Amino acid sequence: DSGVTQTPKHLITATGQRVTLRCSPRSGDLSVYWYQQSLDQGLQFLIQYYNGEERAKGNILERFSAQQFPDLHSELNLSSLELGDSALYFCASSQRQGSYEQYFGPGTRLTVT
Amino acid sequence: GQNIDQPTEMTATEGAIVQINCTYQTSGFNGLFWYQQHAGEAPTFLSYNVLDGLEEKGRFSSFLSRSKGYSYLLLKELQMKDSASYLCAVRGATDSWGKFQFGAGTQVVVTP
């Protein structure tokens, strides 16, 4: 158990809908990262937050947005969902912005039908 | 941008040694990471290299050559539980500390 929690574990929804994925980092970790993993794309970095502020952006679509709250939990919002958004979404946390070790949560499996 | 290449699959026998190579091309570099991922599970951190040379951690070792854009992960005394995907990842330049690029992963199959 990494200490990072993600909810929900599974999510099934229809195209065009909007969902919110939630992540709670390990106690004391200030940095949160979001990743998408699909069979054909591998693990893709989406976005990083550090102490409430956005710090790095990867291959995140405009239909997706994220934020980190004052209590350091983070949410990833996915809207206008398409079939291709079906994937495992991982959250990871680390203690410092430059810290090299990331701890991954168990992931949320999103299925868009 | 960054490009990371690693073999798709490798097979080895229990007790043997396997070396997984990773080559990368980056516009900035602040560390190379190796993660292990079992099917359907989250990646777990194995090793980190930022300077040239070999880092040893029990049965796992990782090597980096920054001038060659090359790293390898060495798995010794293979066990059945080592069957997993091994991901090579590079962290971007200082102005984008969090920006990680992952390779597609190398599926290691350990046979009895």
Side-chain angles (χ1 to χ4, degrees):
Chain A
D1 184 357
S2 68
V4 178
T5 60
Q6 289 186 249
T7 56
K9 201 164 185 173
H10 299 279
L11 197 50
I12 302 174
T13 189
T15 54
Q17 294 299 304
R18 172 190 168 95
V19 297
T20 297
L21 312 184
R22 184 188 166 104
C23 167
S24 292
R26 291 187 321 155
S27 177
D29 282 2
L30 299 177
S31 207
V32 168
Y33 307 76
W34 284 99
Y35 295 89
Q36 179 193 56
Q37 187 172 40
S38 56
L39 283 174
D40 58 344
Q41 291 281 333
L43 197 62
Q44 300 284 321
F45 166 71
L46 295 178
I47 197 164
Q48 181 216 359
Y49 281 84
Y50 177 77
N51 205 20
E53 291 187 13
E54 181 185 307
R55 285 306 172 114
K57 220 166 184 176
N59 303 319
I60 188 165
L61 300 171
E62 284 193 17
R63 300 184 285 109
F64 296 0
S65 65
Q67 55 182 326
Q68 187 179 28
F69 294 87
D71 66 352
L72 300 177
H73 91 272
S74 178
E75 293 181 356
L76 179 67
N77 300 296
L78 316 175
S79 61
S80 303
L81 284 168
E82 301 174 0
L83 295 178
D85 298 328
S86 295
L88 253 177
Y89 290 85
F90 287 108
C91 164
S93 74
S94 67
Q95 187 173 17
R96 302 185 313 268
Q97 185 181 354
S99 176
Y100 60 84
E101 189 161 348
Q102 294 183 28
Y103 296 87
F104 280 76
T108 293
R109 183 170 292 282
L110 174 66
T111 303
V112 183
T113 61
Chain B
Q2 294 168 243
N3 192 39
I4 299 175
D5 290 310
Q6 50 182 128
T8 305
E9 185 171 315
M10 301 182 77
T11 302
T13 308
E14 200 174 7
I17 298 173
V18 71
Q19 178 175 314
I20 306 169
N21 296 324
C22 171
T23 57
Y24 63 91
Q25 293 172 307
T26 63
S27 53
F29 178 84
N30 270 294
L32 187 137
F33 304 76
W34 285 96
Y35 283 82
Q36 180 192 60
Q37 187 178 26
H38 287 98
E41 296 182 10
T44 55
F45 171 81
L46 289 178
S47 70
Y48 166 71
N49 296 72
V50 68
L51 300 176
D52 290 352
L54 188 68
E55 294 283 339
E56 296 189 83
K57 219 178 186 182
R59 294 189 299 114
F60 295 171
S61 304
S62 57
F63 171 83
L64 174 67
S65 168
R66 287 171 297 170
S67 62
K68 294 181 180 175
Y70 167 71
S71 172
Y72 69 72
L73 179 70
L74 197 68
L75 285 63
K76 300 177 232 178
E77 300 168 18
L78 277 172
Q79 302 175 9
M80 298 300 290
K81 67 178 181 180
D82 297 330
S83 290
S85 183
Y86 291 83
L87 308 173
C88 172
V90 173
R91 185 168 64 189
T94 308
D95 62 348
S96 59
W97 275 107
K99 203 161 185 177
F100 283 78
Q101 181 86 11
F102 280 79
T106 297
Q107 187 66 41
V108 169
V109 178
V110 181
T111 59

